[in-house]
Amino acid sequence: MDPVTEHAPKVVRSDEEWRRLLNPAEYHVLRQAGTERPFTGEYTDTKTVGVYSCRACGAELFRSDAKFESHCGWPSFFTPLAGHAVIERTDTSLGMRRVEVLCARCHSHLGHVFSGEGYDTPTDLRYCINSVSLRLVPSEAE
């Protein structure tokens, strides 16, 4: 069984509930698949050690040790936490084929994943994630 669903139930809320729980910027990105402007997110240049969780439901998504500087304008990670924290699906909006990344627990939009860009990472993947989709929980050693 998927560790995400095994330990935490899926989060299902109505659109009205999401609107009450999220501020307008969070709602736009997380529930309407929007994108924050590049180089404006609070985690773009963050080096704090910890775990990045879904801002909508709190599910753990990425570890800081998988974060790298891609200079693309958004926080970038080379792998999600445990491999089961996110869902990937084809996105053909904007007239191109991309792979959208969603939280496996609440299906909120996080960003996109790109491959084959020549990054010197263990996976050659770049999970390009909106800061507004994340909440950094610093490690206790910090």
Side-chain angles (χ1 to χ4, degrees), residues 2 13 22 25 61 67 69 74-75 78-79 85-87 94 106 108 115 121 124 133-134 138:
D2 180 344
R13 292 191 167 100
L22 303 169
L61 302 171
K67 189 172 187 279
E69 291 186 35
W74 296 273
F78 59 81
T79 190
V86 301
I87 296 169
L94 303 179
C106 69
S108 288
S115 64
T121 67
D124 195 31
S133 297
L134 302 171

Side-chain angles (χ1 to χ4, degrees), residues 10-22 31 55-58 105-106:
K10 295 283 187 198
V11 174
V12 179
R13 292 191 167 100
S14 69
D15 188 60
E16 185 178 303
E17 289 173 304
W18 285 120
R19 285 183 187 275
R20 279 196 312 265
L21 292 169
L22 303 169
R31 304 311 304 169
R55 195 172 294 243
C57 74
R105 188 167 171 219
C106 69

Side-chain angles (χ1 to χ4, degrees), residues 9-135:
K10 295 283 187 198
V11 174
V12 179
R13 292 191 167 100
S14 69
D15 188 60
E16 185 178 303
E17 289 173 304
W18 285 120
R19 285 183 187 275
R20 279 196 312 265
L21 292 169
L22 303 169
N23 71 38
E26 293 166 347
Y27 181 83
H28 174 66
V29 172
L30 290 159
R31 304 311 304 169
Q32 296 179 314
T35 302
E36 65 192 358
R37 290 189 336 266
F39 302 103
T40 62
E42 67 181 302
Y43 300 127
T44 303
D45 298 318
T46 299
K47 307 255 192 272
T48 303
V49 175
V51 174
Y52 290 86
S53 298
C54 176
R55 195 172 294 243
C57 74
E60 294 183 346
L61 302 171
F62 300 94
R63 295 182 88 65
S64 60
D65 59 4
K67 189 172 187 279
F68 70 101
E69 291 186 35
S70 68
H71 308 288
C72 69
W74 296 273
S76 295
F77 303 86
F78 59 81
T79 190
L81 186 68
H84 298 284
V86 301
I87 296 169
E88 297 175 11
R89 71 178 179 197
T90 302
D91 173 8
T92 57
S93 65
L94 303 179
M96 63 180 92
R97 188 177 189 284
R98 301 180 293 174
V99 179
E100 182 183 15
V101 179
L102 301 112
C103 172
R105 188 167 171 219
C106 69
H107 290 201
S108 288
H109 173 79
L110 304 171
H112 292 85
V113 61
F114 302 94
S115 64
E117 296 179 341
Y119 287 106
D120 187 20
T121 67
T123 62
D124 195 31
L125 295 174
R126 176 172 56 94
Y127 287 82
C128 183
I129 307 298
N130 291 283
S131 286
V132 74
S133 297
L134 302 171
R135 178 163 285 120

